[in-house]
Amino acid sequence: MNRSLFRRLEVHLPVRFWAKPVLGVTLLFWMIPEIYMLSVALRPPDAAFDSQLFTWPITLDNFITVIRDNPLLVFFGNSLFVTSGTVIIVVAFASTFAFAASVLRLRGTTLLFTSLLTTLMVPVASIVLPIAIMLKSFGWINTYQGLIMPYAALGIPYAIVIIKAFMDDSPRELFEAAVIDGCTAWQMFRHVAMPLIKPAVIFVAVWQFIVTWNEFFLALIVMTDNSHKTVTLAPMQYSGMYMANPAALFAILVIIAVPLLILYAFVQKYFIAGLLSGAVKG
Amino acid sequence: MFLVFIVYPILWVISGSLRGNGSLHPTAFVGLDHYRQVFQDPVFWRVLLNMFLWGLITIPVQMVIGGTIAYLIERHTTRSKTFFRVMFFLPVITNVSVISIVWSQMYAPYYGIIQHYVKFVGLQLTTSPLGDPSLVIYALILVNIWQWTGFSMIMYVAGLNNIPSELWDAAKIDGAYGWRLAMGVIVPLLSPVTRSLLLLGVIGTLQTFPIVHLMTDGGPDHASEIFGTYIFKQGFVIGDLGYASALSTLVLLIALVLTIIQIVAFGAQLNPNQKRLA
Amino acid sequence: MKMYKIAVALSGLACLLVPVANGNENREITVWSWFITSTMQKSIKAFQEKNPGLKVTYTYYNYSPEYITALKAAAASNSLPDIIGLQPGSLTQQYREQLVPLSPYASKEWGNDWTSKVFPIALKQLTMGNPTNDSNFYILPQECQVLAIWYNKEIFQKLGLTVPQTYQDLVSVAKKLSDNGYIPMYQGAADGWQNENVFLMIANQLSPGLTDQAQAGKVPWNSPALVSAMQCWMNLFKDHVFQEGALGARAYPTGAQLFAQGRVGMMALGSWWMQESKFPPPLSRYIQNMSGFDFFYLPALTQGGKSSPPVGGVDIGYGLTKNGARNPEAWKFLASLVRGDALQQALNDLNDLPSFSGFEPAGEITPNIKQMYDRFIADLPRAENQRFAIPAIADALDNALAGVASGTVSPEEALKRIQDVTDKALK
């Protein structure tokens, strides 16, 4: 049905005329929950669950409350440290591994790849306990490495899937030429593979950043001490049984999402890089 | 080092599934008892069905919507490109606690957001899909699609930008436009992205937990139970770790089978020499 | 302010660089719970003032999934704090092996007759689920609660409604509320605990204590009174006493919020709900001094029946972990929490009712709140038990109630499923 609609539209009207209206209308519907979220964060608490999308007057009180009541800077610092650490490790390992699997085709990588992938699919609830036991035996409870290492371990396979797909997709001739030119594997990685997969790497980094920034379950069991807590642990005090303050909850979650939004908005334009490098390749 | 964080938990879980019901540490060896219980448990089959529906609906729908949006953004917008890319991605970076509350409010009859606006055209919602056992899983799937389509979109955006521009030109010279250009040229070229999304979609499906936990907690009466919530309930609420471990091991097996199927099915395409059109 | 923020930022940075040194002279007591942070901080302050040199570090978690996950992970890896918040029955039983018996501590602190000061329902719940021959107390109760139906007095007045005395009253009150655009009785039926609470109100008006015997395996779940209770439960949905779509709704935050805002006529909550009047900033004019609200017990749902007795028990208790038993100071704080300065602070915030007799909330308590408080306290000694000893049975009841409410399972079939689980659990 969709298909024929598409086709009919196409006959009568070139895509470029309806592209923007379609995007605009879709976006409008898509944004309803987001608008509601922002609007609740700006409401006085006694109007939090009014069913209108907007209410008047708006207030910044909720933001003031959550900033006043939480050492947000400490939490942000912790999150930033843990997240950057994880992203660096994940990107470094995943890109070299994907390179090895895809280009060098080292023996056994497929097996390793498959097993890594499989383990990813287990719900976190099943592995929380063994991870807690392990971290305790390493003495890593309430340490940064106690979060960075498991995050990285769980993030790497995911990253490999994405980077490898892009690596598989890049022209083999380039690598073959590099081999003929006498490039070492490392040179090939740096000068041939890296530029090709840059969009994927950026993507993986952003993705890992978002996931780590928002991760909750492991942070909960690893960081029990206030000075080490990450930002995701702060909102729960506003959503608890017996003490629900949705307006404050929405406010703090908006604050937490802002760095992600900025990062993403800043980085998404680098996806263009892929287009350019593709053109240069000829 | 990294393998330690994955392999140890897996072994722990598998060995736990073969032992008694200690609520913290596995006790005596009981063999396959837990597995027998799992297979006799009607809730397990319900979970399996729900997970199947979840993957079957979520993954393709996200791909189609995300891919279409990506295509429209990349090919037919210029200055508003960044705007659209950012806005459609917003749900992905929105916290699940907010999403669960907002969507529950959307679905709610007569104090909800949708109701507030449809009443102007004389409609009265009489029930929440979240409270209807036959609808609840679809209501949750819709939320999930809403949240993650932006992810498919940005993957396709990256993929589209990875297509060398001379290919576009070549296709146009051949007279491929619009729909035919999309189906004949772009879709095949994006197949690596699609494959990744399929794999990630399966992973995402099996790992789903917070959105369901927060919105329905698997209810009413297990109607929206999924692996994440059921394992959590058995292991943490009821305290039957043996049973929870058996469930986890089965998830692991399902995951393994799915991964192998994907690798076998796409194995031919993994051969780099046949793949590129140009 | 600015300097303060910079200092925080710097100390944050310092934390990044140096592992936190444990060399402070304050002896530390660690506590985990789902108890509201702001109130707990007042309790801690009061305790620390009386006990210089001691420092209590409190970690707050949401109850589910956060708290139960953190607790289980810490228990499995032997990193529990000194004191943990627990509910009697199933939750306490899951951690029994990590806890120390508290009777010796209590007797030493308060003398051998200390149990006579504890409300009977609380005392009874403390040993729920213990193995036979084990009469130890693994937790001590801090606060108790009584379940009740709260209603918005102002809405009732405006619509000329009175507290329902019969089921017909209840249905017509609900109808009148709905007709005027209010939510009749908000039920967060997606939350198992809220359904349990209402069901226990119903079952205990039909036959007090029967659910207790059923969960202990002494009477079958499909006893006539329980079948009848299940039917009454189903009728509350069918007759639109609960709002439409209740099964998809949650009690917190949505229900409590809408109720406080004055959009709901009635809601099944309990004595703990009074604390909302102390939250800053006040959620609404109705909730200021609780002037817009009052409570009643569920009227008789059957012809010629009785209205519900108070149902309730321990809201929250605390256990001393084996780690905590090695910390000589930990007991002091636990004692203060259940029967001392720390408890007093919680009561002043109207957090809930005490478990030991002889306490009164102090500070800014209006006469209206005081009279509600006194009514709850007067009813607490005769409260019926609301807790379950075995989590699997509570879970089975939750599912059965949701199944019956959605119309997919008949009351008899639902009760049979609970019976099956009970048989298996007690085997």
Side-chain angles (χ1 to χ4, degrees):
Chain A
M1 183 204 86
N2 220 347
R3 205 173 279 198
S4 68
L5 180 75
F6 244 82
R7 212 170 268 163
R8 231 175 302 147
L9 274 173
E10 183 204 332
V11 173
H12 300 291
L13 209 62
V15 186
R16 66 195 143 91
F17 288 115
W18 55 261
K20 268 187 216 167
V22 165
L23 278 176
V25 171
T26 316
L27 186 67
L28 203 67
F29 279 102
W30 221 256
M31 285 298 106
I32 289 172
E34 300 287 336
I35 294 167
Y36 185 72
M37 160 174 133
L38 194 62
S39 151
V40 170
L42 293 170
R43 289 175 194 191
D46 62 350
F49 279 167
D50 282 0
S51 52
Q52 295 91 332
L53 271 185
F54 302 100
T55 58
W56 194 259
I58 62 168
T59 167
L60 288 175
D61 283 357
N62 302 312
F63 289 91
I64 295 167
T65 306
V66 297
I67 292 170
R68 188 193 55 210
D69 292 353
N70 294 286
L72 281 180
L73 279 177
V74 178
F75 294 163
F76 269 103
N78 291 335
S79 277
L80 200 63
F81 186 77
V82 168
T83 308
S84 338
T86 308
V87 169
I88 291 168
I89 294 175
V90 166
V91 167
F93 269 79
S95 53
T96 40
F97 186 93
F99 178 70
S102 177
V103 178
L104 302 180
R105 278 189 273 174
L106 292 182
R107 215 181 284 255
T109 49
T110 313
L111 182 72
L112 196 57
F113 187 60
T114 318
S115 56
L116 281 178
L117 273 180
T118 310
T119 54
L120 264 183
M121 303 187 196
V122 185
V124 183
S126 353
I127 54 172
V128 159
L129 291 189
I131 286 188
I133 294 170
M134 201 161 37
L135 291 174
K136 168 75 176 178
S137 66
F138 294 161
W140 281 5
I141 300 284
N142 280 318
T143 64
Y144 294 108
Q145 66 267 33
L147 266 190
I148 294 175
M149 292 304 172
Y151 281 164
L154 294 170
I156 285 172
Y158 219 85
I160 290 173
V161 176
I162 293 166
I163 298 182
K164 190 169 172 290
F166 275 77
M167 196 98 76
D168 286 346
D169 200 32
S170 36
R172 297 220 64 88
E173 307 84 60
L174 282 179
F175 295 111
E176 280 150 20
V179 173
I180 293 165
D181 290 349
C183 277
T184 63
W186 173 243
Q187 282 168 329
M188 199 150 82
F189 176 69
R190 270 213 58 192
H191 299 294
V192 184
M194 258 332 229
L196 282 174
I197 56 165
K198 201 164 132 203
V201 169
I202 291 170
F203 179 81
V204 162
V206 175
W207 174 245
Q208 190 62 47
F209 198 97
I210 293 168
V211 169
T212 313
W213 188 265
N214 277 335
E215 203 285 333
F216 178 74
F217 240 105
L218 287 176
L220 182 77
I221 61 160
V222 177
M223 301 307 197
T224 56
D225 163 18
N226 272 326
S227 64
H228 283 76
K229 277 188 180 162
T230 53
V231 279
T232 45
L233 298 176
M236 65 176 170
Q237 60 185 301
Y238 299 108
S239 62
M241 208 156 114
Y242 307 151
M243 168 68 182
N245 187 350
L249 172 71
F250 283 36
I252 197 168
L253 291 170
V254 168
I255 294 177
I256 292 174
V258 165
L260 293 181
L261 185 64
I262 294 171
L263 174 84
Y264 173 77
F266 177 73
V267 159
Q268 55 82 26
K269 61 174 178 274
Y270 287 102
F271 291 129
I272 303 290
L275 185 62
L276 295 177
S277 66
V280 172
K281 252 162 18 197
Chain B
M1 182 69 237
F2 295 108
L3 289 180
V4 170
F5 276 100
I6 291 177
V7 174
Y8 174 78
I10 298 298
L11 292 179
W12 193 90
V13 167
I14 294 175
S15 96
S17 73
L18 303 173
R19 291 159 190 274
N21 296 338
S23 82
L24 287 174
H25 295 287
T27 52
F29 188 79
V30 297
L32 295 177
D33 264 11
H34 293 304
Y35 293 92
R36 206 171 304 132
Q37 283 173 38
V38 170
F39 290 122
Q40 286 166 358
D41 179 359
V43 180
F44 171 74
W45 298 104
R46 179 80 213 212
V47 168
L48 216 55
L49 175 69
N50 282 341
M51 296 271 45
F52 180 72
L53 285 172
W54 192 281
L56 199 71
I57 298 173
T58 306
I59 300 173
V61 171
Q62 275 173 358
M63 281 179 184
V64 171
I65 303 180
T68 313
I69 293 173
Y71 176 75
L72 294 179
I73 292 177
E74 293 310 300
R75 298 300 295 176
H76 298 285
T77 66
T78 45
R79 269 177 301 168
S80 51
K81 195 173 280 186
T82 302
F83 171 76
F84 281 121
R85 280 179 177 181
V86 172
M87 295 313 267
F88 277 109
F89 198 70
L90 271 183
V92 179
I93 59 173
T94 304
N95 190 288
V96 184
S97 341
V98 167
I99 294 176
S100 66
I101 294 174
V102 170
W103 276 87
S104 298
Q105 281 297 94
M106 305 245 305
Y107 284 138
Y110 81 91
Y111 56 91
I113 306 167
I114 294 178
Q115 176 58 56
H116 186 84
Y117 291 94
V118 299
K119 76 169 178 233
F120 296 119
V121 293
L123 281 174
Q124 175 72 46
L125 306 178
T126 54
T127 179
S128 163
L130 294 177
D132 185 334
S134 56
L135 290 180
V136 57
I137 192 73
Y138 302 102
L140 291 170
I141 288 173
L142 180 64
V143 179
N144 192 55
I145 290 175
W146 172 81
Q147 192 190 0
W148 292 103
T149 293
F151 180 73
S152 300
M153 172 206 70
I154 207 67
M155 286 285 282
Y156 280 121
V157 164
L160 283 168
N161 282 317
N162 221 29
I163 297 176
S165 53
E166 66 271 21
L167 275 184
W168 294 104
D169 302 337
K172 292 232 161 141
I173 291 166
D174 291 348
Y177 279 102
W179 185 246
R180 240 181 316 147
L181 174 75
M183 290 321 278
V185 182
I186 306 172
V187 169
L189 277 173
L190 288 177
S191 68
V193 176
T194 307
R195 280 205 310 276
S196 313
L197 281 177
L198 183 63
L199 199 57
L200 296 178
V202 171
I203 295 173
T205 299
L206 289 172
Q207 279 204 328
T208 306
F209 173 70
I211 193 72
V212 178
H213 181 82
L214 288 171
M215 288 185 76
T216 66
D217 200 11
D221 192 17
H222 299 302
S224 61
E225 204 77 77
I226 55 165
F227 277 126
T229 53
Y230 200 45
I231 290 172
F232 180 78
K233 228 175 254 178
Q234 291 292 339
F236 288 77
V237 180
I238 295 181
D240 188 345
L241 274 187
Y243 195 87
S245 300
L247 282 170
S248 307
T249 311
L250 287 171
V251 178
L252 202 69
L253 284 176
I254 294 169
L256 193 66
V257 170
L258 288 175
T259 313
I260 290 171
I261 290 174
Q262 290 195 28
I263 286 185
V264 170
F266 298 122
Q269 289 177 46
L270 287 173
N271 182 342
N273 298 321
Q274 296 173 351
K275 208 165 31 90
R276 286 194 75 86
L277 251 123
Chain C
M1 189 61 209
K2 201 166 187 184
M3 281 306 290
Y4 167 76
K5 276 191 181 163
I6 292 170
V8 171
L10 284 178
S11 63
L13 282 176
C15 290
L16 297 180
L17 302 171
V18 199
V20 183
N22 255 342
N24 46 10
E25 64 281 5
N26 279 343
R27 281 159 301 162
E28 195 187 34
I29 301 159
T30 50
V31 184
W32 290 5
S33 179
W34 68 94
F35 197 87
I36 294 170
T37 312
S38 55
T39 302
M40 183 59 101
Q41 291 307 345
K42 290 179 195 164
S43 294
I44 289 172
K45 193 161 159 264
F47 174 75
Q48 288 179 166
E49 273 165 15
K50 284 272 177 72
N51 298 275
L54 296 188
K55 182 176 174 296
V56 179
T57 308
Y58 176 60
T59 308
Y60 168 87
Y61 295 94
N62 260 359
Y63 186 72
S64 176
E66 294 88 351
Y67 188 57
I68 45 185
T69 307
L71 213 51
K72 188 142 277 196
S77 61
N78 189 25
S79 37
L80 283 171
D82 298 335
I83 296 172
I84 53 177
L86 290 167
Q87 286 182 346
S90 51
L91 189 64
T92 300
Q93 291 306 323
Q94 287 192 46
Y95 297 99
R96 193 179 62 230
E97 284 164 31
Q98 277 74 37
L99 298 170
V100 293
L102 290 171
S103 319
Y105 289 86
S107 299
K108 204 173 145 208
E109 185 90 24
W110 301 310
N112 281 327
D113 66 338
W114 65 275
T115 48
S116 66
K117 301 286 183 198
V118 182
F119 287 105
I121 180 69
L123 201 59
K124 181 178 154 196
Q125 288 179 347
L126 289 185
T127 50
M128 270 182 74
N130 274 8
T132 28
N133 305 328
D134 184 349
S135 56
N136 284 313
F137 300 119
Y138 291 97
I139 57 168
L140 291 182
Q142 180 189 26
E143 291 179 339
C144 282
Q145 63 192 18
V146 173
L147 308 178
I149 310 287
W150 284 91
Y151 70 101
N152 188 315
K153 267 196 308 199
E154 289 187 21
I155 299 176
F156 268 52
Q157 232 153 39
K158 205 177 95 188
L159 302 181
L161 299 171
T162 51
V163 172
Q165 304 295 328
T166 64
Y167 185 61
Q168 284 70 28
D169 284 356
L170 186 64
V171 173
S172 67
V173 163
K175 181 157 187 327
K176 191 112 189 233
L177 285 164
S178 301
D179 289 347
N180 284 280
Y182 295 102
I183 295 168
M185 186 187 289
Y186 187 100
Q187 178 74 359
D191 285 309
W193 62 268
Q194 229 209 345
N195 297 346
E196 271 174 35
N197 287 359
V198 173
F199 181 75
L200 289 170
M201 290 179 195
I202 303 171
N204 278 300
Q205 67 169 241
L206 290 166
S207 174
L210 193 63
T211 44
D212 254 12
Q213 289 174 297
Q215 67 159 311
K218 289 182 191 139
V219 297
W221 278 96
N222 52 9
S223 315
L226 289 175
V227 174
S228 163
M230 223 16 138
Q231 267 150 357
C232 290
W233 162 253
M234 189 167 71
N235 291 339
L236 290 173
F237 287 85
K238 268 198 189 146
D239 298 335
H240 307 291
V241 173
F242 294 144
Q243 84 279 19
E244 305 281 358
L247 273 171
R250 306 217 83 151
Y252 283 91
T254 319
Q257 184 81 22
L258 289 168
F259 189 45
Q261 281 181 31
R263 316 238 352 239
V264 175
M266 302 171 275
M267 186 167 175
L269 292 160
S271 48
W272 72 83
W273 196 64
M274 287 188 292
Q275 68 184 307
E276 298 230 353
S277 66
K278 289 280 185 179
F279 289 164
L283 282 165
S284 75
R285 65 187 172 87
Y286 300 105
I287 220 163
Q288 223 143 15
N289 306 321
M290 285 284 146
S291 52
F293 293 100
D294 203 349
F295 67 90
F296 60 85
Y297 297 118
L298 203 59
L301 298 191
T302 50
Q303 208 70 44
K306 281 178 294 189
S307 65
S308 293
V311 177
V314 176
D315 174 351
I316 185 169
Y318 290 92
L320 187 63
T321 64
K322 288 187 173 152
N323 294 337
R326 285 190 286 274
N327 180 351
E329 316 294 352
W331 162 255
K332 286 187 191 162
F333 185 59
L334 202 157
S336 178
L337 272 176
V338 301
R339 201 188 181 184
D341 303 320
L343 171 66
Q344 186 61 52
Q345 291 298 320
L347 296 179
N348 295 353
D349 263 3
L350 296 172
N351 190 277
D352 218 336
L353 314 172
S355 299
F356 283 81
S357 56
F359 282 89
E360 294 263 300
E364 281 175 46
I365 306 292
T366 61
N368 182 47
I369 288 178
K370 186 67 175 52
Q371 61 86 12
M372 289 183 195
Y373 183 90
D374 289 343
R375 278 156 62 203
F376 277 127
I377 281 285
D379 288 336
L380 182 59
R382 60 188 182 98
E384 294 290 340
N385 172 38
Q386 71 158 130
R387 297 289 177 201
F388 286 83
I390 298 170
I393 297 177
D395 181 65
L397 177 59
D398 292 350
N399 288 313
L401 291 172
V404 169
S406 70
T408 49
V409 192
S410 70
E412 290 81 5
E413 168 67 22
L415 287 163
K416 192 186 160 295
R417 282 182 359 196
I418 309 176
Q419 188 60 46
D420 291 346
V421 172
T422 308
D423 290 343
K424 206 179 125 200
L426 292 174
K427 194 171 58 187

